[in-house]
Amino acid sequence: LSEILRKGRLSDGDNMTLKDYHQLINELNKFKLTFENKLSDFDCIITPSALGEALKGLEFTGSAQLNTTWTLLGYPAITLPLFTGKNNMPIGCQFVTKKTKDDLLLSISKKILKNFEAELKNFKQVCPVEMLDKLENPISLKPHIKKAG
């Protein structure tokens, strides 16, 4: 495990009482209900996937700060490298849908990738649109797209 996990998140859990843990779980469940209600009019959330462009190398992949909410909520999310930063590295745009809406997320992602296809040809690591058809479970890890109709 990384030092960040050992000395950060896992250490926080080790130092928490069971009562505190249960209180946080109750707060999380309330947050889930509130969030679910606020998103009822939307199919998709569009949000940055990171605080900047991708880092060079694989030693550190960056902060999960902008992904944690979706992981806690159990919402499916997918990141598409739609833009390029000043170092010519991709900038990811994260698309999120509600629980059990994985198929909708993949459908939206395919449409977005098709619209950005010309821009994405510069990146060898981009997942082609056809590959999304083969994905069964997207990684779960603000403008909104409103429901059609």
Side-chain angles (χ1 to χ4, degrees):
L1 292 176
S2 71
E3 187 173 340
I4 293 171
L5 281 176
R6 282 193 319 273
K7 292 185 177 179
R9 294 180 187 155
L10 294 177
S11 175
D12 292 343
D14 278 345
N15 296 317
M16 182 180 295
T17 67
L18 185 58
K19 181 180 177 183
D20 289 342
Y21 173 75
H22 286 152
Q23 182 178 348
L24 287 173
I25 293 298
N26 288 333
E27 288 178 32
L28 176 61
N29 288 331
K30 289 177 190 173
F31 179 70
K32 285 179 180 182
L33 287 173
T34 300
F35 209 82
E36 193 99 6
N37 289 333
K38 289 185 184 256
L39 291 181
S40 63
D41 291 335
F42 302 98
D43 288 323
C44 179
I45 302 166
I46 303 172
T47 179
S49 58
L51 298 174
E53 68 185 296
L55 303 173
K56 292 184 179 186
L58 297 175
E59 299 83 39
F60 180 66
T61 58
S63 168
Q65 179 179 358
L66 300 180
N67 313 97
T68 305
T69 299
W70 316 123
T71 301
L72 284 171
L73 290 172
Y75 283 21
I78 192 166
T79 296
L80 304 176
L82 299 180
F83 307 101
T84 307
K86 64 181 180 180
N87 296 316
N88 203 33
M89 295 298 287
I91 296 176
C93 193
Q94 187 171 221
F95 297 84
V96 183
T97 57
K98 294 172 239 170
K99 287 182 189 179
T100 72
K101 298 296 182 185
D102 303 61
D103 289 343
L104 175 64
L105 178 64
L106 291 174
S107 173
I108 289 169
S109 299
K110 283 168 48 174
K111 289 175 185 171
I112 290 167
L113 278 177
K114 283 183 181 180
N115 286 324
F116 275 82
E117 198 166 26
E119 301 293 326
L120 296 173
K121 287 183 181 174
N122 296 326
F123 298 110
K124 293 177 184 171
Q125 73 273 24
V126 173
C127 174
V129 174
E130 299 80 40
M131 289 298 293
L132 288 176
D133 291 327
K134 296 179 172 114
L135 294 176
E136 292 179 22
N137 295 311
I139 298 171
S140 282
L141 333 138
K142 104 164 140 173
H144 301 281
I145 297 175
K146 289 201 173 204
K147 283 184 182 174

